[in-house]
Amino acid sequence: MKTIERSVGDIAFISGQKFYLELPKDYWYRQLFLYLSGNLVIGTAAATALKLESPLSLIKNIDLVLNGKDVIKSMPFNAFYQWAKVRHGTAPTLTAPGLTVATHPFAAGAVIDLGLADGTSKVDTMLKAKGASTLQLGIDWETTTAGLVTPDATTTLAITSGNLHVCTNEAYNVDDKIVFPVNREYSLSMPLSASGIYQLKLPTGNLFWGLLIKAVDNGALSNAVINKITIKSGTEVFRYYSSQAALREILKNDRGIESLSTGYYLIHFTRDGLMSEALDARLMSDLTVEFDVVFGTASKIEVYPQEIVVPRK
């Protein structure tokens, strides 16, 4: 097996629109590299604040769809950024615009992993595009006025040269008879209304490699929303954390993850990067993530699971 890397297209910013980029269907996909760039022009009066996770907030959601119906990836831009940060050992580019009356450059990078970046095998998962009818990357743009900063009543905003550049890492000389598992990721939301215990049901039927969790309070990322996290099926408990500090220490010492962004939590099921260590939910009747929550102001939790879809024999 050999690999190629190539630029495959640019998606220009169009306020509030969704655009699909047709990707090549020649080989097996291992990664997509995304790079957002542009300029924010602020006129008349300064903006009052940055949007949450700006400039990642300019892209509401990213979809990777195979054959027009199989959704392989579906998460906001910020989730791909955070997953890349913990998997690859370094944070992608993140340059937020300023708030003053001026022209401010912004930039952000992210990686869409189709292979297992933290797996130990040379090849664990890949996405076969060869022979597919379509492979599309969907970009859902936020609006100019809601994407990057919060304006005051007289602020004028414009985005110039806004663009998302897409590169691929693909494999060729791959045995057509091999059917690789698929690395699938998506978003789940946990509605909150008061302090207490909340349960989020995860789908069963596949393997779970990990969970990325995000907590927001009063419009900002927060470590104060989640007290405890439990992952269980019936009475069997697979993960239980009653201390954020302990979880972060485990990630630092056992996984080599030095730090997580404020408000983010990572639950890893694979200590040594082996497929056999993944949480196997194929025969489970239920799988639940339970949160002990302290509700503040408009608190919310989002979960970004990483599933491994194993081909049926």
Side-chain angles (χ1 to χ4, degrees):
M1 184 184 75
K2 299 183 182 297
T3 64
I4 63 169
E5 284 187 352
R6 53 179 170 172
S7 295
V8 294
D10 292 274
I11 302 175
F13 170 75
I14 302 178
S15 178
Q17 299 296 307
K18 186 166 186 176
F19 184 86
Y20 283 95
L21 175 67
E22 295 286 346
L23 298 175
K25 303 181 295 297
D26 306 313
Y27 306 117
W28 283 254
Y29 277 76
R30 300 181 61 170
Q31 289 172 314
L32 294 170
F33 300 97
L34 310 178
Y35 184 71
L36 171 70
S37 61
N39 296 294
L40 175 65
V41 182
I42 300 179
T44 308
T48 60
L50 288 172
K51 290 292 184 179
L52 183 63
E53 297 181 276
S54 178
L56 300 167
S57 51
L58 191 59
I59 300 178
K60 292 190 291 185
N61 204 71
I62 298 174
D63 300 315
L64 183 64
V65 183
L66 183 69
N67 294 323
K69 57 183 177 60
D70 298 325
V71 181
I72 309 301
K73 307 283 186 180
S74 183
M75 297 193 300
F77 194 21
N78 63 272
F80 288 109
Y81 171 89
Q82 294 291 344
W83 266 122
K85 179 180 176 181
V86 298
R87 286 175 184 151
H88 297 280
T90 186
T93 295
L94 188 64
T95 304
L99 299 175
T100 59
V101 175
T103 297
H104 301 278
F106 62 85
V111 183
I112 300 178
D113 284 304
L114 284 313
L116 291 176
D118 48 1
T120 55
S121 298
K122 291 182 179 179
V123 179
D124 285 303
T125 63
M126 286 198 297
L127 181 64
K128 184 180 180 181
K130 185 178 181 181
S133 59
T134 59
L135 180 61
Q136 297 174 307
L137 182 68
I139 303 299
D140 193 0
W141 294 105
E142 185 55 272
T143 62
T144 302
T145 54
L148 294 172
V149 297
T150 301
D152 76 358
T154 59
T155 303
T156 61
L157 299 175
I159 293 176
T160 61
S161 305
N163 183 74
L164 184 72
H165 187 74
V166 183
C167 296
T168 67
N169 180 285
E170 301 161 73
Y172 65 99
N173 285 352
V174 179
D175 188 345
D176 279 330
K177 296 178 182 179
I178 300 175
V179 181
F180 291 96
V182 174
N183 182 353
R184 181 171 174 257
E185 293 171 310
Y186 50 91
S187 305
L188 298 173
S189 296
M190 179 82 262
L192 305 176
S193 57
S195 298
I197 304 298
Y198 290 83
Q199 292 187 335
L200 179 66
K201 297 293 185 182
L202 296 176
T204 56
N206 294 311
L207 308 178
F208 281 90
W209 194 262
L211 302 175
L212 184 66
I213 300 167
K214 171 184 172 181
V216 175
D217 183 66
N218 198 25
L221 295 169
S222 174
N223 290 337
V225 175
I226 299 175
N227 270 338
K228 302 175 183 178
I229 303 173
T230 306
I231 300 173
K232 61 184 181 178
S233 177
T235 59
E236 187 170 5
V237 176
F238 302 105
R239 294 289 189 275
Y240 171 65
Y241 304 100
S242 61
S243 165
Q244 293 184 35
L247 173 56
R248 292 173 186 272
E249 194 68 12
I250 290 171
L251 292 172
K252 179 178 181 179
N253 294 322
D254 201 39
R255 310 296 198 278
I257 298 171
E258 286 292 331
S259 64
L260 291 171
S261 299
T262 298
Y264 278 92
Y265 306 80
L266 177 65
I267 311 296
H268 236 310
F269 298 114
T270 53
R271 177 176 182 178
D272 297 313
L274 300 174
M275 188 76 75
S276 58
E277 296 177 327
L279 181 60
D280 193 342
R282 287 175 291 184
L283 298 179
M284 294 181 186
S285 59
D286 71 282
L287 183 60
T288 301
V289 185
E290 183 176 277
F291 297 101
D292 183 339
V293 168
V294 176
F295 188 80
T297 303
S299 302
K300 61 181 180 180
I301 294 173
E302 295 179 1
V303 179
Y304 310 116
Q306 182 185 7
E307 276 187 358
I308 307 300
V309 182
V310 179
R312 296 180 180 179
K313 295 182 179 180

